[in-house]
Structures are given as C-alpha cells and as structure tokens.
Amino acid sequence: MLTVHALDQPGSGGANHLYEIRGYDTGSNASDPFFGRYGKSADHSTVIFQNGPIAEVGVNGVTHEALLAILIDRLESFQRGPYASPDNKEALYSMRAALHALQRRTLKRMARGVEGTHHV
C-alpha cells in the first residue's frame, strides 16, 4: 500500500512543500533507474514543490502544473492504447480543467503584476 506524508511544516501560503511516497520497491520495474545508478532499487520517492517566489528564489521545486502535465500525458497514452476507459476520459477532463484553472490564475496574477510574489 502506498503512503504519502508531508515531511515539512506548511509555508507562508499554508501548504507543505516536501512529500514522501513509500510502500513500493522499484526492483521489479523495468523503468527502474536506481539499480544501475546506485546498485539497489528504491523504496520511496520525494516530491519537492516550488518554495518561494521564482523571481526571488529561482526555480527550486516542481509545480502543480508540472505534475498535472505528467498525469495527463499518462492517461492520454492509456486512452490511445488497450486501457482506454470512460473513467480515464472523465479523469482526463477533470485534470485538464484543473490545469486550465491554474494557468488562468497565473495569467490573472501576471495581469495584476503580482505573479512571482506573495501578494494575493
């Protein structure tokens, strides 16, 4: 069973920036890059999100948009293959809507001149 835990304290916006996913072993995964690099498989992953305005701290983590893009790509691939389903189609619609909403938020913040800052 996979478990997800936040490993840090919430930042100024109220959200955590560091998460750990455990409960697997990449040893049986044909895409495992860890054994070749480190001589052993992995049993966890971490996801670190952007922490602070990019204009001030640079790019130091992933964004919600990047993770949604990965999930959209995977489900689009399933929909083109043998695992197409109405549920995947619905999930894709929702993820695309979420990505659009986040992009719209960014454009509005840019128009107001507050993108890349902690201003609301």
Side-chain angles (χ1 to χ4, degrees):
M1 173 195 310
L2 293 178
T3 60
V4 179
H5 298 283
L7 299 179
D8 64 342
Q9 295 299 313
S12 60
N16 296 84
H17 295 90
L18 179 62
Y19 291 82
E20 180 179 76
I21 306 166
R22 287 195 170 271
Y24 63 90
D25 181 340
T26 61
S28 64
N29 188 321
S31 297
D32 177 4
F34 300 102
F35 191 83
R37 291 182 189 163
Y38 309 110
K40 62 181 182 174
S41 58
D43 63 0
H44 72 282
S45 295
T46 55
V47 178
I48 186 165
F49 285 94
Q50 177 67 31
N51 192 342
I54 292 172
E56 294 176 19
V57 301
V59 177
N60 62 20
V62 300
T63 62
H64 302 112
E65 293 88 340
L67 293 181
L68 282 169
I70 290 169
L71 294 171
I72 289 168
D73 180 73
R74 285 181 51 81
L75 282 180
E76 285 175 343
S77 297
F78 288 146
Q79 287 299 90
R80 289 189 302 269
Y83 301 112
S85 75
D87 296 319
N88 286 350
K89 183 178 180 180
E90 181 182 346
L92 264 169
Y93 176 84
S94 297
M95 284 186 267
R96 287 179 182 136
L99 183 58
H100 177 74
L102 291 170
Q103 292 168 335
R104 185 179 62 235
R105 176 184 179 268
T106 297
L107 291 174
K108 287 179 181 178
R109 289 180 58 78
M110 289 171 73
R112 292 191 346 256
V114 297
E115 177 60 17
T117 72
H118 284 297
H119 294 92
V120 180

